[in-house]
């Protein structure tokens, strides 16, 4: 249904327009798009979602109103839907509204490092410790031990004066 709606083949999303009146909202577009990328093999993003076995739960797939009740209104224009577990389905327990930065920290390709009982991505550790991200990548690439790689070094003062 969402594919036909998106392509203009139908004028109804399957919802009763009089029930929610939100077919032109961003939340409705998000709902329609996530169903499309998970359940429509013709969707250009299908290979990253549906082809990997990621699905939209029946509760959401059959009702925009239930999706909206579970997710609420998008907090800001900077938020989009995110699956907390990237290998999991789109379900109320596995989804949240997140900013680009939050989503970047949750990519499945990120390297996660546990140090002193805290787990962060390499980029998050760099930001947290005040170390340039490229420097940190380089240190790990050179095989530095964890303790040494995550320890900020003192910069040498320019002694040319």
């Amino acid at each position: 249904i969402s594919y036909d709606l998106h392509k203009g083949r139908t004028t109804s999303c399957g919802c009763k327009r009089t029930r929610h009146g939100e077919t032109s909202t961003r939340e409705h577009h998000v709902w329609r798009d996530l169903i499309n990328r998970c359940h429509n093999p013709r969707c250009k993003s299908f290979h990253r979602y549906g082809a990997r076995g990621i699905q939209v739960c029946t509760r959401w797939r059959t009702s925009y109103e239930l999706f909206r009740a579970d997710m609420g209104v998008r907090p800001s224009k900077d938020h989009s839907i995110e699956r907390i577990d990237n290998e999991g389905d789109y379900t109320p327990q596995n989804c949240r509204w997140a900013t680009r930065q939050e989503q970047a920290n949750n990519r499945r390709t990120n390297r996660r490092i546990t140090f002193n009982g805290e787990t962060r991505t390499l980029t998050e550790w760099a930001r947290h410790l005040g170390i340039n991200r490229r420097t940190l990548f380089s240190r790990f690439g050179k095989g530095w031990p964890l303790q040494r790689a995550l320890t900020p070094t003192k910069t040498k003062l320019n002694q040319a004066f």
Side-chain angles (χ1 to χ4, degrees), residues 47-120:
H47 69 282
R48 290 194 308 257
Y49 297 90
R52 286 180 43 220
I54 295 166
Q55 298 186 7
V56 178
C57 67
T58 304
R59 175 180 170 82
W60 287 359
R61 198 168 50 239
T62 58
S63 172
Y64 165 73
E65 290 93 343
L66 293 175
F67 167 79
R68 176 72 161 63
D70 292 338
M71 290 300 296
V73 177
R74 195 168 61 141
S76 77
K77 66 180 181 64
D78 298 325
H79 287 76
S80 59
I81 196 164
E82 175 186 50
R83 285 173 296 116
I84 298 163
D85 171 6
N86 283 313
E87 301 303 318
D89 293 336
Y90 284 96
T91 65
Q93 301 78 20
N94 194 40
C95 290
R96 67 179 181 165
W97 295 113
T99 63
R100 283 183 189 257
Q101 183 174 344
E102 289 168 330
Q103 289 196 10
N105 290 332
N106 195 28
R107 288 195 178 126
R108 61 189 162 121
T109 56
N110 278 346
R111 181 175 181 179
R112 299 200 186 311
I113 298 164
T114 302
F115 179 64
N116 289 340
E118 276 188 76
T119 302
R120 300 173 186 248

Side-chain angles (χ1 to χ4, degrees), residues 119-160:
T119 302
R120 300 173 186 248
T121 65
L122 206 74
T123 301
E124 288 174 312
W125 276 116
R127 190 178 306 115
H128 178 73
L129 298 170
I131 300 172
N132 183 292
R133 183 176 58 87
R134 288 189 180 129
T135 300
L136 207 49
F137 274 98
S138 174
R139 289 176 181 181
F140 280 104
K142 292 176 183 175
W144 285 28
L146 185 62
Q147 176 76 37
R148 183 175 172 216
L150 293 176
T151 302
T153 58
K154 295 179 183 176
T155 56
K156 295 182 181 179
L157 295 175
N158 185 346
Q159 298 179 9

